Amino acid sequence: MKFTLSWLKDHLETQATLGEIVATLDAIGLEVESVTDKAQELAAYRIARVIEAVQHPNADRLRVCTVDTGEGDPIQVVCGAPNARTGMKSVFAPPGTYIPGKDLTLGVGVIRGVESAGMLCSEAELELSEDHDGIIDLPEDAPVGGSYAEYAGLDDPVIDIAITPNRGDCLGVRGVARDLAAAGLGRLKPFDESRVPGGF
């Protein structure tokens, strides 16, 4: 069964860390099969603004972008996305970042004679979807230099636990929260039993 950390905390009042919660789940027999933490996986990715996007001098399908990452001087990035344009906001990966959708770690390179220090990313490259037609196009209010994972709401870990046939009570997040509270990891929040008015 999968649930997010924030969903669990809707039912469990606790100051425990994610690691403490995972260890306690294992200890009480609710075996944790995996924890997916996109915030950790995408920690290096920042929101950036394309100050200028001009045609690459040696390639028809490439653009040379000057990118404001919110830190220090603007950075030059060679980009092959058809939607790369002056003034847009997108997601920037600096050199040294692992790109999961391409299974590579970025370095500073030279593309067709022009230096490129980093990458503007598509959703497919971040393994968020299969969309690889262009780089991520963010709204104008996206904060330059901010964490992309936090801005996109991807900073909520997903916990996947194995449920044995005798633990049907833990097929809901309320049951999991109750067991964690019983193990001393926090306090079970009162259940909201307010009636919803019916009508037709």
Side-chain angles (χ1 to χ4, degrees):
M1 187 186 85
K2 293 183 180 182
F3 54 89
T4 64
L5 183 60
S6 66
W7 188 15
L8 176 67
K9 288 186 175 181
D10 284 344
H11 299 272
L12 180 69
E13 187 178 299
T14 181
Q15 298 300 316
T17 64
L18 176 61
E20 290 169 339
I21 290 171
V22 168
T24 305
L25 286 168
D26 282 333
I28 63 176
L30 299 174
E31 182 186 353
V32 176
E33 295 192 321
S34 67
V35 177
T36 305
D37 189 355
K38 283 290 185 185
Q40 188 174 6
E41 293 173 19
L42 304 177
Y45 295 86
R46 315 310 287 178
I47 297 168
R49 183 173 65 87
V50 179
I51 300 169
E52 184 181 45
V54 297
Q55 183 66 46
H56 191 294
N58 305 316
D60 291 342
R61 296 188 178 186
L62 297 177
R63 291 178 178 80
V64 180
C65 300
T66 304
V67 178
D68 173 14
T69 65
E71 293 182 356
D73 296 331
I75 294 172
Q76 182 170 279
V77 177
V78 175
C79 183
N83 66 333
R85 65 189 186 280
T86 298
M88 77 177 296
K89 289 185 178 178
S90 190
V91 179
F92 172 74
T97 303
Y98 176 71
I99 309 294
K102 291 191 173 287
D103 192 24
L104 64 84
T105 299
L106 289 178
V108 176
V110 176
I111 301 173
R112 302 290 289 271
V114 176
E115 186 176 282
S116 181
M119 182 178 188
L120 294 169
C121 303
S122 69
E123 288 191 357
E125 287 158 346
L126 273 58
E127 292 189 336
L128 299 177
S129 76
E130 295 182 6
D131 184 4
H132 56 81
D133 293 335
I135 56 177
I136 297 170
D137 194 348
L138 296 175
E140 184 56 37
D141 64 356
V144 172
S147 161
Y148 173 66
E150 185 177 330
Y151 174 79
L154 300 170
D155 56 343
D156 194 3
V158 177
I159 303 167
D160 187 6
I161 60 174
I163 303 291
T164 52
N166 64 324
R167 292 309 309 270
D169 58 312
C170 287
L171 284 171
V173 73
R174 180 84 181 169
V176 175
R178 185 202 59 232
D179 269 22
L180 287 171
L185 208 64
R187 183 183 70 85
L188 190 66
K189 292 181 179 178
F191 191 69
D192 181 6
E193 297 182 39
S194 58
R195 291 183 176 273
V196 177
F200 294 94

